[in-house]
């Protein structure tokens, strides 16, 4: 019996020693250099942004090396100080262990869009042709107005102002229907489609409502611009 008691005590002693050793190993803090923390913040943000729709470009401001290495027994916790939609933002890196610390990493998140741009300089009133256009990726912050993503949508439109090589084109820069243009009027009534011609009384871009003089009835009507030199009336 005494033999088994001694064996039990030895086993218990070894178990306690192993648990104590394991506790020491788990409590050993991990070292993080400023460069490693910056990289960690960038990787975390890319994963976070990747879960959201739309293409984005991320720029992370490196942490200053003068802050030295940081230690934490658990992986740092990361979070954004503002909503993901904010262009200028900050990643918070926090160690919640006994010797806690908190760092801030400035970041810039730019939305990237595919948009139509000019391949040459043109003057006001120029008729837009396919050879004047190309599609490129640009930062959304440089766009003021309604984007044009399909070149075919604006071929045949006229420029309302001078446009430069490489300039992003918006619907506000063009009139798909210009005052005095002969336009096709589409009338839709309970599935019945009727077409007529008219004279535009003012400029309009996609989705605008303009006045059109019907060439047959001589009546002025209101119609929505649906394409180059095309308007529509719905009942």
């Amino acid at each position: 019996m005494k033999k088994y008691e001694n064996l039990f005590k030895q086993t218990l002693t070894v178990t306690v020693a192993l648990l104590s050793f394991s506790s020491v190993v788990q409590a050993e803090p991990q070292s993080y250099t400023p460069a490693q923390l910056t990289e960690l913040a960038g990787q975390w943000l890319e994963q976070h942004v990747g879960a959201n729709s739309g293409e984005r470009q991320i720029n992370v401001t490196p942490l200053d090396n003068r802050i030295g290495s940081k230690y934490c027994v658990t992986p740092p916790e990361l979070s954004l100080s503002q909503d993901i939609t904010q262009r200028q933002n900050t990643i918070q890196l926090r160690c919640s262990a006994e010797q806690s610390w908190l760092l801030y990493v400035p970041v810039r998140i730019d939305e990237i869009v595919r948009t139509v741009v000019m391949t040459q300089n043109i003057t006001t009133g120029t008729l837009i042709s396919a050879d004047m256009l190309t599609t490129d990726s640009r930062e959304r912050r440089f766009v003021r107005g309604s984007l044009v993503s399909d070149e075919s949508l604006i071929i045949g439109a006229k420029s309302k102002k001078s446009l430069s090589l490489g300039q992003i084109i918006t619907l506000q820069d063009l009139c798909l229907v210009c005052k005095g243009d002969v336009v096709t009027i589409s009338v839709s009534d309970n599935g019945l489609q009727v077409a007529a011609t008219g004279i535009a009384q003012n400029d309009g871009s996609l989705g605008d409502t303009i006045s059109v003089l019907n060439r047959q009835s001589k009546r002025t009507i209101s119609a929505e611009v649906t394409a180059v030199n095309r308007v529509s009336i719905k009942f």
Side-chain angles (χ1 to χ4, degrees), residues 59-140:
N59 294 284
V60 180
T61 301
L63 287 168
D64 194 327
N65 286 326
R66 289 176 295 181
I67 68 173
S69 296
K70 298 294 180 180
Y71 298 84
C72 194
V73 296
T74 58
E77 301 169 9
L78 295 93
S79 62
L80 282 172
S81 60
Q82 302 181 75
D83 188 80
I84 192 68
T85 58
Q86 298 298 313
R87 180 173 177 268
Q88 299 289 347
N89 217 318
T90 303
I91 298 177
Q92 297 179 353
L93 292 98
R94 183 190 303 272
C95 176
S96 299
E98 184 177 347
Q99 293 183 336
S100 62
W101 45 262
L102 177 63
L103 295 174
Y104 297 93
V105 181
V107 297
R108 192 179 76 237
I109 307 170
D110 292 312
E111 182 183 358
I112 306 300
V113 293
R114 294 289 294 177
T115 186
V116 176
V117 299
M118 296 298 304
T119 60
Q120 62 187 72
N121 300 327
I122 62 172
T123 58
T124 303
T126 299
L127 195 69
I128 303 297
S129 57
D131 62 318
M132 300 176 182
L133 309 173
T134 190
T135 304
D136 198 8
S137 294
R138 297 293 178 87
E139 293 182 22
R140 182 68 175 86

XYZ file of all heavy atoms in Angstrom, residues 59-140:
648
model
N -3.268 52.782 -47.482
C -1.967 53.378 -47.173
C -1.829 53.478 -45.659
O -2.631 54.160 -45.001
C -1.841 54.766 -47.807
C -1.821 54.698 -49.325
O -0.826 54.333 -49.921
N -2.947 55.039 -49.944
N -0.809 52.792 -45.100
C -0.593 52.762 -43.651
C 0.637 53.596 -43.310
O 1.710 53.405 -43.908
C -0.403 51.317 -43.145
C -0.180 51.295 -41.639
C -1.608 50.459 -43.521
N 0.501 54.512 -42.352
C 1.642 55.320 -41.904
C 2.454 54.517 -40.886
O 1.913 54.113 -39.851
C 1.167 56.624 -41.251
O 0.388 57.375 -42.196
C 2.356 57.466 -40.788
N 3.727 54.245 -41.156
C 4.526 53.412 -40.241
C 4.653 54.038 -38.855
O 4.738 55.259 -38.705
C 5.889 53.329 -40.930
C 5.632 53.684 -42.360
C 4.497 54.665 -42.338
N 4.691 53.182 -37.846
C 4.947 53.646 -36.483
C 6.390 54.134 -36.365
O 7.299 53.608 -37.023
C 4.702 52.510 -35.481
C 3.242 52.128 -35.215
C 3.175 50.807 -34.446
C 2.530 53.222 -34.430
N 6.596 55.113 -35.519
C 7.928 55.673 -35.297
C 8.792 54.648 -34.559
O 8.396 54.120 -33.512
C 7.821 56.957 -34.469
C 9.108 57.771 -34.485
O 10.196 57.161 -34.551
O 9.023 59.010 -34.415
N 9.991 54.371 -35.090
C 10.888 53.401 -34.457
C 11.333 53.824 -33.068
O 11.773 52.979 -32.263
C 12.125 53.165 -35.335
C 11.805 52.328 -36.564
O 10.955 51.444 -36.512
N 12.495 52.598 -37.670
N 11.206 55.104 -32.764
C 11.654 55.595 -31.461
C 10.785 55.103 -30.306
O 11.187 55.209 -29.140
C 11.689 57.126 -31.471
C 12.821 57.694 -32.325
C 12.773 59.205 -32.395
N 11.567 59.672 -33.086
C 11.294 60.962 -33.306
N 12.144 61.906 -32.880
N 10.195 61.302 -33.956
N 9.600 54.568 -30.609
C 8.761 54.060 -29.515
C 9.295 52.744 -28.973
O 8.924 52.322 -27.877
C 7.298 53.870 -29.964
C 7.191 52.726 -30.996
C 6.721 55.151 -30.528
C 5.765 52.380 -31.360
N 10.194 52.096 -29.716
C 10.804 50.860 -29.253
C 9.853 49.671 -29.356
O 8.696 49.804 -29.760
N 10.347 48.492 -29.003
C 9.548 47.270 -29.045
C 8.521 47.252 -27.928
O 8.740 47.800 -26.849
C 10.453 46.045 -28.943
O 11.320 45.956 -30.052
N 7.394 46.617 -28.215
C 6.330 46.448 -27.229
C 6.172 44.960 -26.922
O 6.412 44.114 -27.773
C 5.016 47.026 -27.754
C 5.053 48.521 -28.025
C 5.238 49.308 -26.743
C 5.267 50.809 -27.012
N 5.459 51.592 -25.769
N 5.759 44.679 -25.685
C 5.623 43.298 -25.239
C 4.188 43.041 -24.784
O 3.554 43.898 -24.167
C 6.597 43.001 -24.092
C 8.044 43.146 -24.485
C 8.670 44.391 -24.467
C 8.777 42.041 -24.892
C 10.000 44.533 -24.847
C 10.112 42.174 -25.273
C 10.714 43.419 -25.249
O 12.022 43.550 -25.622
N 3.699 41.844 -25.123
C 2.351 41.478 -24.702
C 2.264 39.947 -24.641
O 2.772 39.260 -25.545
C 1.317 42.032 -25.687
S -0.386 41.989 -25.062
N 1.637 39.413 -23.600
C 1.518 37.962 -23.451
C 0.400 37.399 -24.324
O 0.309 36.182 -24.526
C 1.272 37.575 -21.979
C 2.463 37.970 -21.120
C -0.005 38.218 -21.450
N -0.460 38.278 -24.849
C -1.527 37.861 -25.755
C -1.404 38.657 -27.054
O -0.841 39.764 -27.054
C -2.913 38.115 -25.139
O -3.054 39.510 -24.830
C -3.108 37.290 -23.876
N -1.925 38.167 -28.153
C -1.873 38.926 -29.411
C -2.568 40.270 -29.255
O -3.621 40.361 -28.617
C -2.618 38.027 -30.407
C -2.483 36.650 -29.845
C -2.526 36.830 -28.349
N -2.016 41.337 -29.813
C -2.650 42.659 -29.707
C -4.053 42.665 -30.320
O -4.315 41.976 -31.301
C -1.697 43.572 -30.508
C -0.392 42.855 -30.517
C -0.731 41.403 -30.540
N -4.935 43.446 -29.720
C -6.297 43.611 -30.242
C -6.307 44.813 -31.187
O -5.728 45.852 -30.881
C -7.272 43.844 -29.088
C -7.295 42.715 -28.069
C -8.071 43.091 -26.812
O -8.719 44.163 -26.826
O -8.021 42.330 -25.835
N -6.973 44.669 -32.330
C -7.011 45.738 -33.330
C -8.436 46.171 -33.603
O -9.351 45.341 -33.630
C -6.352 45.287 -34.634
C -4.854 44.992 -34.577
C -4.599 43.519 -34.314
C -4.158 45.414 -35.870
N -8.609 47.463 -33.839
C -9.929 48.004 -34.168
C -9.750 49.346 -34.866
O -8.697 49.981 -34.770
C -10.784 48.179 -32.911
O -10.183 49.111 -32.022
N -10.794 49.759 -35.606
C -10.790 51.064 -36.263
C -11.447 52.096 -35.360
O -12.462 51.807 -34.717
C -11.533 50.997 -37.601
C -10.781 50.388 -38.780
C -11.713 50.222 -39.963
C -9.597 51.256 -39.178
N -10.890 53.289 -35.337
C -11.458 54.337 -34.496
C -12.731 54.921 -35.102
O -13.562 55.483 -34.393
C -10.435 55.451 -34.265
O -10.043 56.033 -35.509
N -12.889 54.799 -36.458
C -14.068 55.313 -37.144
C -14.613 54.243 -38.087
O -13.998 53.201 -38.281
C -13.725 56.577 -37.942
C -13.134 57.701 -37.113
C -12.845 58.912 -37.962
O -13.737 59.648 -38.364
N -11.566 59.132 -38.270
N -15.755 54.536 -38.681
C -16.364 53.612 -39.621
C -15.451 53.412 -40.823
O -14.675 54.302 -41.186
C -17.727 54.153 -40.079
C -18.491 53.148 -40.914
O -19.092 52.236 -40.326
O -18.477 53.266 -42.149
N -15.556 52.234 -41.461
C -14.696 51.885 -42.591
C -14.869 52.836 -43.763
O -13.980 52.983 -44.603
C -14.993 50.431 -43.035
C -13.923 49.933 -44.012
C -16.375 50.321 -43.652
C -12.588 49.750 -43.414
N -15.992 53.533 -43.858
C -16.256 54.435 -44.975
C -15.444 55.722 -44.886
O -15.373 56.474 -45.857
C -17.752 54.790 -45.048
O -18.157 55.380 -43.805
C -18.594 53.552 -45.299
N -14.849 56.010 -43.719
C -14.057 57.220 -43.562
C -12.704 57.067 -44.262
O -11.989 56.082 -44.053
C -13.826 57.517 -42.078
C -15.105 57.781 -41.301
C -15.842 59.008 -41.821
O -15.249 60.056 -42.038
N -17.137 58.864 -42.016
N -12.361 58.039 -45.106
C -11.103 57.949 -45.853
C -9.901 58.048 -44.926
O -8.967 57.253 -45.021
C -11.057 59.051 -46.902
C -9.773 59.040 -47.726
C -9.825 60.032 -48.874
N -8.572 60.049 -49.576
C -7.576 60.877 -49.300
N -7.699 61.763 -48.332
N -6.442 60.822 -49.984
N -9.887 59.017 -44.038
C -8.825 59.149 -43.049
C -9.267 58.420 -41.783
O -10.305 58.728 -41.218
C -8.550 60.628 -42.739
C -8.101 61.447 -43.936
C -6.692 61.103 -44.393
O -5.946 60.433 -43.701
N -6.320 61.559 -45.588
N -8.471 57.457 -41.328
C -8.878 56.636 -40.209
C -7.672 56.309 -39.348
O -6.538 56.680 -39.664
C -9.554 55.351 -40.715
C -10.719 54.928 -39.844
O -10.641 54.979 -38.625
N -11.807 54.506 -40.470
N -7.914 55.601 -38.258
C -6.854 55.200 -37.341
C -7.108 53.789 -36.838
O -8.222 53.467 -36.426
C -6.773 56.158 -36.128
O -6.582 57.498 -36.591
C -5.609 55.781 -35.223
N -6.061 52.951 -36.883
C -6.145 51.615 -36.302
C -5.612 51.678 -34.877
O -4.530 52.221 -34.631
C -5.329 50.602 -37.114
C -5.864 50.486 -38.543
C -5.356 49.221 -36.445
C -5.060 49.565 -39.412
N -6.373 51.151 -33.958
C -5.940 51.070 -32.564
C -5.361 49.681 -32.303
O -6.008 48.675 -32.570
C -7.110 51.326 -31.620
C -7.719 52.707 -31.746
C -8.898 52.911 -30.808
O -9.348 51.981 -30.148
N -9.400 54.125 -30.751
N -4.127 49.639 -31.788
C -3.516 48.385 -31.365
C -3.436 48.413 -29.841
O -2.820 49.315 -29.263
C -2.124 48.212 -31.955
C -2.033 48.001 -33.460
C -1.700 49.312 -34.156
C -0.991 46.951 -33.797
N -4.035 47.425 -29.209
C -4.133 47.430 -27.751
C -3.652 46.108 -27.162
O -3.985 45.024 -27.659
C -5.589 47.657 -27.335
C -5.813 47.749 -25.825
C -7.310 47.723 -25.515
N -8.005 48.793 -26.194
C -8.160 50.022 -25.687
N -7.656 50.306 -24.501
N -8.811 50.939 -26.378
N -2.844 46.213 -26.116
C -2.477 45.049 -25.317
C -3.240 45.153 -24.007
O -3.081 46.128 -23.262
C -0.973 45.009 -25.059
S -0.464 43.639 -23.984
N -4.073 44.158 -23.751
C -4.928 44.201 -22.560
C -4.354 43.405 -21.396
O -5.038 43.151 -20.408
C -6.326 43.662 -22.900
O -6.924 44.452 -23.902
N -3.086 42.980 -21.504
C -2.443 42.224 -20.429
C -2.132 43.153 -19.260
O -2.484 44.340 -19.261
C -1.192 41.551 -20.955
N -1.458 42.599 -18.248
C -1.185 43.368 -17.025
C -0.427 44.657 -17.328
O -0.768 45.726 -16.836
C -0.385 42.491 -16.047
C -0.127 43.173 -14.707
C 0.590 42.262 -13.734
O 0.665 41.046 -13.989
O 1.074 42.779 -12.712
N 0.630 44.549 -18.160
C 1.352 45.752 -18.578
C 0.766 46.207 -19.915
O 1.334 45.983 -20.977
C 2.847 45.452 -18.705
C 3.507 45.136 -17.361
C 4.995 44.918 -17.493
O 5.490 44.560 -18.555
N 5.721 45.138 -16.402
N -0.378 46.845 -19.851
C -1.129 47.194 -21.062
C -0.526 48.409 -21.771
O 0.174 49.221 -21.161
C -2.586 47.475 -20.712
O -2.675 48.574 -19.828
N -0.805 48.511 -23.071
C -0.397 49.673 -23.854
C -1.374 49.850 -24.997
O -2.115 48.947 -25.367
C 1.038 49.548 -24.374
C 1.408 48.221 -24.982
C 2.058 47.187 -24.387
C 1.137 47.787 -26.333
N 2.215 46.129 -25.253
C 1.670 46.470 -26.458
C 0.515 48.358 -27.431
C 1.575 45.735 -27.641
C 0.418 47.643 -28.611
C 0.941 46.346 -28.702
N -1.392 51.051 -25.564
C -2.301 51.401 -26.649
C -1.554 52.259 -27.663
O -0.944 53.264 -27.297
C -3.519 52.173 -26.123
C -4.530 52.680 -27.152
C -5.192 51.513 -27.892
C -5.593 53.548 -26.481
N -1.591 51.842 -28.941
C -0.932 52.585 -30.001
C -1.933 52.917 -31.104
O -2.917 52.204 -31.296
C 0.223 51.757 -30.600
C 1.402 51.447 -29.672
C 2.373 50.503 -30.370
C 2.117 52.730 -29.263
N -1.644 54.009 -31.833
C -2.527 54.445 -32.917
C -1.727 54.485 -34.221
O -0.658 55.095 -34.285
C -3.098 55.833 -32.626
C -3.972 55.885 -31.405
C -3.434 56.223 -30.163
C -5.331 55.588 -31.481
C -4.243 56.273 -29.030
C -6.144 55.639 -30.355
C -5.591 55.977 -29.136
O -6.395 56.012 -28.019
N -2.271 53.828 -35.259
C -1.624 53.798 -36.569
C -2.517 54.529 -37.570
O -3.600 54.034 -37.924
C -1.393 52.346 -37.042
C -0.705 52.339 -38.407
C -0.562 51.581 -36.026
N -2.123 55.713 -38.066
C -2.935 56.431 -39.058
C -2.979 55.668 -40.385
O -1.956 55.141 -40.840
C -2.204 57.767 -39.217
C -1.346 57.890 -37.994
C -0.945 56.481 -37.650
N -4.142 55.621 -41.001
C -4.299 54.954 -42.291
C -5.167 55.807 -43.203
O -5.955 56.635 -42.739
C -4.934 53.549 -42.147
C -4.035 52.631 -41.345
C -6.312 53.630 -41.531
N -5.020 55.587 -44.514
C -5.875 56.227 -45.504
C -6.471 55.140 -46.388
O -5.749 54.287 -46.895
C -5.093 57.228 -46.348
C -5.997 58.139 -47.197
C -5.227 59.150 -48.004
N -4.588 58.548 -49.153
C -3.284 58.600 -49.399
N -2.475 59.210 -48.552
N -2.773 58.025 -50.473
N -7.784 55.183 -46.545
C -8.486 54.183 -47.338
C -9.134 54.883 -48.524
O -10.069 55.660 -48.364
C -9.555 53.459 -46.502
C -8.931 52.891 -45.219
C -10.220 52.351 -47.310
C -9.958 52.375 -44.222
N -8.620 54.623 -49.721
C -9.146 55.257 -50.930
C -9.976 54.253 -51.723
O -9.517 53.139 -52.007
C -8.008 55.777 -51.816
C -7.284 56.946 -51.169
O -7.969 57.870 -50.697
O -6.046 56.933 -51.128
N -11.193 54.655 -52.094
C -12.035 53.817 -52.943
C -11.573 53.959 -54.389
O -11.405 55.062 -54.895
C -13.499 54.229 -52.822
C -14.437 53.360 -53.641
C -15.880 53.819 -53.579
O -16.163 54.802 -52.868
O -16.725 53.203 -54.256
N -11.352 52.834 -55.052
C -10.904 52.817 -56.444
C -12.073 52.433 -57.338
O -12.773 51.455 -57.074
C -9.740 51.831 -56.649
C -8.602 52.127 -55.663
C -9.234 51.892 -58.082
C -8.008 53.505 -55.788
N -12.288 53.210 -58.392
C -13.410 52.946 -59.302
C -12.906 52.864 -60.736
O -11.877 53.442 -61.088
C -14.485 54.052 -59.196
C -15.155 54.022 -57.836
C -13.882 55.440 -59.469
N -13.627 52.112 -61.558
C -13.378 52.073 -63.000
C -14.248 53.134 -63.652
O -15.469 53.148 -63.479
C -13.715 50.697 -63.563
C -12.832 49.580 -63.066
C -11.428 49.662 -63.622
N -11.378 49.454 -65.069
C -10.267 49.545 -65.786
N -9.121 49.863 -65.216
N -10.289 49.337 -67.091
N -13.639 54.038 -64.373
C -14.385 55.151 -64.944
C -13.831 55.529 -66.309
O -12.680 55.212 -66.646
C -14.335 56.363 -63.991
O -15.171 57.397 -64.487
C -12.919 56.879 -63.833
N -14.638 56.210 -67.096
C -14.243 56.637 -68.438
C -13.451 57.943 -68.345
O -13.856 58.872 -67.632
C -15.482 56.825 -69.341
C -15.078 57.356 -70.715
C -16.233 55.499 -69.485
N -12.325 58.007 -69.061
C -11.485 59.215 -69.072
C -11.187 59.602 -70.525
O -11.329 58.797 -71.450
C -10.162 58.999 -68.302
C -10.441 58.661 -66.855
C -9.323 57.901 -68.948
N -10.755 60.847 -70.703
C -10.440 61.367 -72.030
C -9.056 60.901 -72.492
O -8.131 60.804 -71.697
C -10.471 62.893 -72.022
C -11.837 63.508 -71.724
S -13.092 63.070 -72.949
C -12.312 63.642 -74.477
N -8.935 60.630 -73.796
C -7.639 60.285 -74.380
C -7.034 61.462 -75.137
O -5.952 61.344 -75.721
C -7.778 59.091 -75.348
O -8.681 59.442 -76.407
C -8.292 57.862 -74.624
N -7.726 62.609 -75.138
C -7.235 63.804 -75.828
C -7.950 65.036 -75.290
O -8.911 64.927 -74.518
C -7.480 63.686 -77.334
C -8.961 63.586 -77.699
C -9.173 63.308 -79.174
O -8.914 62.211 -79.651
N -9.651 64.308 -79.904
N -7.468 66.201 -75.659
C -8.112 67.454 -75.277
C -9.240 67.760 -76.264
O -9.079 67.570 -77.477
C -7.106 68.612 -75.291
C -5.961 68.392 -74.332
O -6.140 67.794 -73.273
N -4.778 68.865 -74.692
N -10.363 68.246 -75.740
C -11.464 68.655 -76.625
C -12.030 69.980 -76.140
O -11.859 70.358 -74.971
C -12.591 67.598 -76.697
C -13.226 67.395 -75.309
C -12.078 66.280 -77.242
C -14.470 66.513 -75.353
N -12.735 70.678 -77.016
C -13.334 71.967 -76.680
C -14.832 71.817 -76.432
O -15.424 70.771 -76.720
C -13.101 72.972 -77.828
O -13.669 72.436 -79.036
C -11.614 73.210 -78.035
N -15.444 72.870 -75.931
C -16.881 72.888 -75.678
C -17.666 72.622 -76.963
O -17.354 73.177 -78.019
C -17.301 74.257 -75.100
O -16.557 74.508 -73.914
C -18.786 74.271 -74.772
N -18.663 71.761 -76.866
C -19.509 71.461 -78.013
C -19.001 70.349 -78.902
O -19.627 70.037 -79.924
N -17.889 69.717 -78.518
C -17.343 68.629 -79.334
C -18.225 67.382 -79.233
O -18.687 67.010 -78.157
C -15.917 68.272 -78.874
O -15.069 69.412 -79.028
C -15.349 67.112 -79.679
N -18.440 66.746 -80.373
C -19.195 65.497 -80.413
C -18.271 64.368 -79.965
O -17.189 64.186 -80.508
C -19.707 65.232 -81.826
C -20.800 64.174 -81.991
C -22.117 64.649 -81.376
C -20.995 63.854 -83.473
N -18.701 63.614 -78.952
C -17.867 62.566 -78.378
C -17.864 61.331 -79.282
O -18.917 60.806 -79.648
C -18.357 62.167 -76.979
C -18.394 63.389 -76.039
C -17.489 61.064 -76.385
C -17.038 64.009 -75.784
N -16.648 60.860 -79.626
C -16.502 59.638 -80.432
C -15.701 58.600 -79.641
O -15.041 58.928 -78.646
C -15.800 59.949 -81.756
O -14.542 60.554 -81.528
N -15.735 57.354 -80.089
C -15.117 56.250 -79.347
C -13.616 56.434 -79.176
O -13.051 56.053 -78.140
C -15.420 54.927 -80.052
N -12.917 57.015 -80.168
C -11.472 57.161 -80.089
C -11.034 58.207 -79.070
O -9.840 58.307 -78.759
C -10.898 57.504 -81.471
C -11.429 58.828 -81.994
O -12.638 59.088 -81.842
O -10.637 59.618 -82.542
N -11.973 58.974 -78.534
C -11.658 59.974 -77.517
C -11.696 59.401 -76.105
O -11.334 60.088 -75.152
C -12.654 61.142 -77.581
C -12.682 61.880 -78.883
S -13.969 63.154 -78.849
C -13.828 63.814 -80.504
N -12.134 58.139 -75.962
C -12.437 57.594 -74.641
C -11.627 56.345 -74.331
O -11.262 55.578 -75.221
C -13.930 57.243 -74.547
C -14.930 58.328 -74.955
C -16.335 57.752 -74.962
C -14.833 59.531 -74.026
N -11.366 56.148 -73.052
C -10.814 54.893 -72.548
C -11.293 54.720 -71.116
O -11.817 55.668 -70.517
C -9.272 54.879 -72.611
O -8.801 53.562 -72.322
C -8.666 55.841 -71.593
N -11.112 53.527 -70.571
C -11.531 53.245 -69.200
C -10.301 53.006 -68.342
O -9.371 52.309 -68.751
C -12.456 52.003 -69.146
O -13.566 52.213 -70.021
C -12.984 51.782 -67.736
N -10.289 53.586 -67.142
C -9.127 53.489 -66.261
C -9.584 53.423 -64.811
O -10.725 53.769 -64.488
C -8.218 54.703 -66.468
C -6.815 54.474 -65.930
O -6.499 53.328 -65.537
O -6.024 55.440 -65.883
N -8.682 52.975 -63.925
C -8.964 52.939 -62.479
C -8.484 54.245 -61.850
O -7.336 54.651 -62.054
C -8.247 51.753 -61.821
O -8.759 50.532 -62.289
N -9.349 54.870 -61.075
C -9.015 56.139 -60.430
C -9.568 56.156 -59.008
O -10.496 55.403 -58.668
C -9.610 57.318 -61.206
C -9.061 57.471 -62.613
C -7.584 57.855 -62.610
N -7.047 57.957 -63.959
C -7.096 59.054 -64.703
N -7.699 60.143 -64.224
N -6.585 59.081 -65.906
N -9.007 57.041 -58.186
C -9.522 57.214 -56.831
C -10.853 57.962 -56.880
O -10.974 58.972 -57.570
C -8.526 57.984 -55.972
C -7.237 57.227 -55.694
C -6.292 58.008 -54.806
O -6.774 58.905 -54.077
O -5.082 57.727 -54.825
N -11.824 57.473 -56.129
C -13.172 58.046 -56.150
C -13.178 59.496 -55.683
O -14.005 60.296 -56.139
C -14.101 57.205 -55.252
C -15.552 57.690 -55.245
C -16.184 57.448 -56.599
N -17.590 57.765 -56.650
C -18.076 58.983 -56.904
N -17.232 59.986 -57.131
N -19.360 59.197 -56.970
